[in-house]
Amino acid sequence: MTVLTLTLITVFSLAAVAVKRVPAGQVYSLYRNGKQVRLLQPGTHVVMPLLDRVGHRIDLGGRMLRFDASLAETKPVHGTVYWQVLEPERADAVIEQADQLIRYSVLDALQAEAEAGQQERRQVAAHLKSSLNQQLRERGVMVTRVELDAAA
């Protein structure tokens, strides 16, 4: 009797683990043996218990990243980058490093702007957004807005 009970508990436990619920506005990347198998769209999915695991939970809504950049011969630049994932298939590979990738891209773009000369803050933000999108678009990420703080 205890073997039957143990077997039923194991079967129900595996069945419970096999069901994954993905909330609206998110995508889960499913991995098997360290390789991506597929993306789970919002809804309820059945996966292989003990073989499949959720690698990343990718939020498709907008995100915000504050940055502080100081460049040689210029004043420090502070601002906010608003971004979102458009293509989870591409973004899955870089989602864990997305904030760092955006910060590096901001520094590169600001360096290019500093070399181009002084411009109005709104113009710099527009150029920064364009430059970020050129670098990040191929990774499935899009910058929706860049705001630069007023100089102190």
Side-chain angles (χ1 to χ4, degrees), residues 19-22 41-46:
V19 176
K20 297 286 182 200
R21 168 103 174 78
V22 180
Q41 300 297 325
T44 305
H45 303 273
V46 177

Side-chain angles (χ1 to χ4, degrees), residues 67 77 80-81 105-110 113 122-134 143 146-148:
F67 68 87
V77 179
T80 307
V81 174
S105 297
V106 164
L107 287 174
D108 289 345
L110 285 174
E113 289 298 321
R122 194 176 297 155
Q123 222 177 358
V124 171
H127 286 290
L128 185 57
K129 176 184 170 189
S130 173
S131 176
L132 288 170
N133 277 328
Q134 286 177 351
V143 173
V146 174
E147 292 178 355
L148 298 178

Side-chain angles (χ1 to χ4, degrees), residues 12-82:
F12 285 124
S13 297
L14 288 175
V17 172
V19 176
K20 297 286 182 200
R21 168 103 174 78
V22 180
Q26 289 189 0
V27 174
Y28 290 0
S29 60
L30 193 67
Y31 284 79
R32 182 178 302 150
N33 298 327
K35 295 182 182 177
Q36 184 180 4
V37 178
R38 62 185 169 146
L39 293 175
L40 301 178
Q41 300 297 325
T44 305
H45 303 273
V46 177
V47 298
M48 302 272 297
L50 305 176
L51 291 178
D52 293 341
R53 70 172 184 81
V54 173
H56 299 111
R57 290 170 169 84
I58 301 172
D59 185 7
L60 298 178
R63 296 185 190 182
M64 170 182 98
L65 175 69
R66 295 274 309 147
F67 68 87
D68 298 316
S70 57
L71 302 171
E73 304 172 9
T74 62
K75 297 178 188 175
V77 179
H78 308 285
T80 307
V81 174
Y82 296 89

